[in-house]
Amino acid sequence: MTAELTRGQNHPLPRARLEVRVSAGTPVVAGATLGDEDGTIHGDEWVAHPGTPTLPGVEVSRQAAADHRLAVDLDAVPDAVHRVSVLLALPVGGTGPARFGAVAAPFVAVTDLDGDEVASYTITGLEAESAVVALELYRRQGAWKVRAVGQGYAGGLPELLADQKLPGAHQLAGRIQEAVAAGLARSVPAPPARTAEGDRSRQAATSAHGPDLGPAASHGATGPVPPVSPYDTQGATGAQTSGIPGEHGGQPPYAGAPGDSATAGQPSAHTGGGPVDYSHPRRQTAAPPPPPPAAPPAAPGQPARPVAGDATGWSMDERLYNQVWGMFEDLARTTAAYRSAVDFADSRMDKELDQVLSDPRSRIGGQGDAAREAARARHGELVSRAREALDRDLAQLAEEAEVVEPALPAAYARWDSPVWHAYRVPMEIPMALRLGDLHLPEADGIRIPMLVRLPLERGLWIDSGRSPSLDGSFADAHDMRRLGLETAVAHAARLLAVYPAGEFTVHVIDPAGSGTRALAPLVQTGVLAAPPALGAGGAADVLARLTQRVDLVQMALRAGAPDALPPGVDTSQQLLIVNDFPHGFDDRAVTQLRYLADEGPAVGVHLMMVADREDSAGYGPLLDPLWRSLLRLTPEADDHLADPWVGHAWTYEPSLVPAGSQVLQQVLTQVAEARRSWRR
């Protein structure tokens, strides 16, 4: 039976190999410290954190996430260690909550490798604290126990580590936050918080493998998975202007970070910077309508047949968006359950083999061989059962994907979808945009559309560096630059295609003119605001104009007069494509670029860089914040992105136009004609 602890209570631990599971509702940093009998940490090597996730007997997550699973083997910790403290901290320097009092109370559970809870603790009473020692596993008279601690620190990680007598606490806290920032930069942004008004009812088969992954588990979970609804806040806010927050058709500021359950969807006063609120300015605050009627009921004992748009939402686009994100989470969690089950089977077999080898009587001979064979047979049975459950879940997801993919609108569809052949310039901005596909090695046949919300709240970095491909080969540097710019053109064309006429403008900086061929679709159709800027002078001119636009809009918004912009200021959303960075960029231009990356998205100026980070190595750490602020994409398949739930490494494949297809030219031609008609 689970022991539900309150602050200060303890409970004996029945075994040495355990998991500590954390559920916080918002991305948090999870770590562990090893202390002696007095609780003193004797050095950085006694702290497990995202930058150094593995210590003897302890392994923690490599990035901030809303859910964590920490592995603990108390038999493997050094003899000098008498206390293992589990700590949680909010990431700093981002747009998420700055104190635990603004989020739901974190929940921590100690489980065995079967997933059965030994003890749990809900950390209540936190207010201004941004770091907390959740619980500690401590050794007393040769036996291990768990104690609920719940000690918070308003000074964050530096104060927490200093309280545990760690030398250089502030320096280590800084390195931890740097590692966290690097991890967040590779994470796919989660959608806004889910609300109780619109439960995303999805049929789910009961999974028999792995431990329970919480109420939002995959198809292997029981009960509904709640929806992602972006339209859950303020109602009408008056006339607004496209591309400028606070003007007609634009978006008011968004108070929370992506995936921030405590602040998502909450209105706030605009301060001239920060992320964007995606709530519709004229949307009522009532609950969204229920999903459309389901398919005819399945035969008894069979899972329900999937239906495109079976999530809640105000429109089919919103329902499909919520459904795709539900599929993304389902696949992440069902794969996590499978991997956990396999890890348990491996651990159990290792333990049984160790027991066989520890007994001299069974180490050799027939008895030992029989014991080893039995251990391997039990391992095979456990893995087989886990795989059967995973295959059942994957079959259901694959069936759903086959139904959903053909129903996706142009903004969500692949370039080879028939929907593009019936393309018409839209009258409204869609909710999201497809940047590519994501998949996992356990489910290579299932592709999850990678959808990001519009307007973009992070710039994009198309990495043209010579990174090894999944088969271990290296592409030619020239080919990678070409592929990188072709990928950027495909993304820019999609953005132009999904915005109404005149509401999205694209600028290009190509200092060396090396991208002429790849940029031809944009140049020849006339969809660019001006020909690509060449040389250092051209780059400086474009950067100066966009920087001035950001400054003017920020000043107008701070003054509460968004309609008072000077004549000639383009109020549409702006995208700047930078090719071959840092060629043609001096120090001033680099500073302006960083400024646009930081301040631009809040006022409708977005950045898309096609660059090899190694080319700018001469700038040293000066550009590290720039790279972290951009969402890294690749022109070829690469497993560098992580999901916001369990942190799997997902293989990303860009959304490219099929070779020989004329669809891109046809779509851009319609966009250009619509722009010319709009200007008349």
Side-chain angles (χ1 to χ4, degrees):
M1 176 178 285
T2 303
E4 297 182 1
L5 305 179
T6 59
R7 184 172 182 175
Q9 282 188 320
N10 59 52
H11 187 75
L13 295 174
R15 52 185 53 86
R17 291 186 176 182
L18 303 163
E19 278 190 348
V20 179
R21 301 187 180 183
V22 178
S23 179
T26 190
V28 297
V29 184
T33 61
L34 307 181
D36 60 15
E37 289 181 299
D38 298 326
T40 301
I41 308 173
H42 289 277
D44 294 359
E45 65 277 7
W46 284 40
V47 182
H49 56 83
T52 307
T54 303
L55 295 181
V58 179
E59 183 174 0
V60 303
S61 304
R62 296 177 180 269
Q63 67 179 42
D67 299 302
H68 290 274
R69 301 171 70 174
L70 284 64
V72 179
D73 185 353
L74 297 174
D75 287 340
V77 299
D79 293 337
V81 172
H82 288 259
R83 187 179 303 177
V84 179
S85 299
V86 176
L87 57 92
L88 307 177
L90 294 169
V92 300
T95 55
R99 58 188 184 90
F100 276 110
V103 302
F107 175 79
V108 187
V110 179
T111 73
D112 59 22
L113 296 184
D114 290 321
D116 297 327
E117 285 190 5
V118 176
S120 64
Y121 174 41
T122 301
I123 311 172
T124 58
L126 298 177
E127 289 296 338
E129 296 86 349
S130 59
V132 60
V133 177
L135 50 79
E136 63 181 12
L137 314 178
Y138 65 98
R139 191 189 335 233
R140 183 65 54 83
Q141 297 178 349
W144 285 91
K145 295 183 179 182
V146 57
R147 176 186 291 120
V149 180
Q151 176 62 54
Y153 296 85
L157 272 177
E159 183 181 352
L160 184 154
L161 296 173
D163 189 48
Q164 296 193 6
K165 306 173 186 178
L166 172 67
H170 286 73
Q171 292 82 352
L172 178 60
R175 292 197 296 273
I176 293 175
Q177 294 295 356
E178 288 177 2
V180 171
L184 289 175
R186 62 184 286 269
S187 178
V188 179
R194 297 173 172 183
T195 60
E197 281 85 358
D199 288 343
R200 176 179 178 269
S201 300
R202 295 166 57 86
Q203 300 296 330
T206 302
S207 173
H209 71 282
D212 178 23
L213 291 174
S218 67
H219 285 280
T222 58
V225 178
V228 179
S229 179
Y231 302 138
D232 57 359
T233 56
Q234 64 250 50
T237 58
Q240 302 182 344
T241 300
S242 166
I244 304 296
E247 296 188 1
H248 181 65
Q251 318 298 339
Y254 179 50
D260 176 2
S261 64
T263 58
Q266 296 177 359
S268 69
H270 186 71
T271 59
V276 178
D277 187 350
Y278 299 122
S279 58
H280 197 292
R282 295 177 299 279
R283 185 72 72 196
Q284 58 184 339
T285 57
Q302 298 297 319
R305 298 171 184 172
V307 177
D310 76 337
T312 58
W314 291 100
S315 65
M316 179 56 75
D317 283 3
E318 183 180 355
R319 291 169 177 165
L320 288 169
Y321 171 82
N322 291 341
Q323 186 172 14
V324 167
W325 267 95
M327 294 166 60
F328 187 17
E329 183 175 359
D330 289 348
L331 183 54
R333 294 189 182 278
T334 197
T335 304
Y338 168 73
R339 292 179 180 179
S340 177
V342 172
D343 288 344
F344 167 71
D346 293 342
S347 175
R348 178 172 174 174
M349 183 178 69
D350 291 343
K351 185 176 181 180
E352 291 176 348
L353 292 177
D354 288 343
Q355 291 176 346
V356 172
L357 294 175
S358 64
D359 187 352
R361 294 171 298 178
S362 60
R363 190 174 300 163
I364 58 176
Q367 185 178 355
D369 292 340
R372 283 188 285 270
E373 187 62 31
R376 295 188 182 98
R378 283 190 290 269
H379 174 271
E381 181 183 1
L382 289 173
V383 172
S384 176
R385 285 166 49 193
R387 186 71 214 191
E388 288 176 4
L390 175 67
D391 289 343
R392 183 171 59 248
D393 291 349
L394 294 183
Q396 188 174 355
L397 270 172
E399 187 178 3
E400 185 173 12
E402 290 176 358
V403 173
V404 170
E405 185 67 46
L408 296 178
Y412 304 172
R414 291 194 294 255
W415 280 110
D416 59 358
S417 171
V419 72
W420 285 107
H421 294 279
Y423 169 76
R424 294 294 181 270
V425 177
M427 300 298 292
E428 294 184 353
I429 301 172
M431 178 180 298
L433 185 83
R434 185 174 189 157
L435 292 180
D437 295 331
L438 299 169
H439 66 91
L440 291 171
E442 288 86 351
D444 191 59
I446 299 177
R447 296 297 192 270
I448 303 295
M450 179 181 169
L451 303 181
V452 296
R453 295 293 296 270
L454 292 179
L456 298 172
E457 69 169 26
R458 289 177 69 182
L460 303 178
W461 166 30
I462 314 301
D463 188 356
S464 59
R466 296 180 65 235
S467 57
S469 61
L470 295 180
D471 60 5
S473 62
F474 283 84
D476 179 76
H478 177 74
D479 289 340
M480 288 299 297
R481 289 188 174 91
R482 175 184 56 80
L483 289 172
L485 190 54
E486 289 177 354
T487 302
V489 168
H491 292 327
R494 184 182 288 266
L495 282 163
L496 284 164
V498 302
Y499 271 82
E503 294 193 17
F504 198 85
T505 303
V506 177
H507 311 264
V508 176
I509 294 178
D510 185 22
S514 59
T516 302
R517 181 176 179 182
L519 292 169
L522 299 178
V523 175
Q524 294 172 1
T525 54
V527 295
L528 295 179
L534 302 175
D541 180 62
V542 173
L543 290 171
R545 284 189 282 112
L546 290 178
T547 301
Q548 183 184 45
R549 182 193 182 279
V550 172
D551 291 338
L552 289 172
V553 175
Q554 285 187 343
M555 287 189 291
L557 291 173
R558 291 189 183 115
D563 295 329
L565 290 170
V569 174
D570 187 357
T571 59
S572 66
Q573 296 279 318
Q574 309 284 309
L575 175 69
L576 173 60
I577 301 176
V578 178
N579 184 42
D580 209 14
F581 177 81
H583 181 80
F585 281 76
D586 56 18
D587 290 345
R588 176 179 173 81
V590 169
T591 301
Q592 289 176 318
L593 198 66
R594 288 187 56 187
Y595 177 75
L596 292 177
D598 293 338
E599 303 293 336
V603 291
V605 178
H606 312 285
L607 188 62
M608 183 185 296
M609 293 186 59
V610 182
D612 180 358
R613 187 170 182 174
E614 294 299 321
D615 291 343
S616 59
Y619 287 94
L622 176 67
L623 291 181
D624 286 351
L626 172 64
W627 303 118
R628 287 200 296 264
S629 69
L630 304 175
L631 177 61
R632 176 177 175 255
L633 303 176
T634 53
E636 293 187 327
D638 188 76
D639 58 350
H640 68 281
L641 290 175
D643 64 78
W645 299 288
V646 292
H648 291 317
W650 291 73
T651 297
Y652 165 79
E653 295 179 353
S655 180
L656 300 177
V657 180
S661 174
Q662 298 298 313
V663 66
L664 185 65
Q665 195 80 13
Q666 296 168 3
V667 168
L668 290 178
T669 299
Q670 290 195 44
V671 170
E673 292 176 353
R675 286 167 61 92
R676 287 191 289 269
S677 300
W678 174 78
R679 289 171 179 169
R680 292 194 187 107

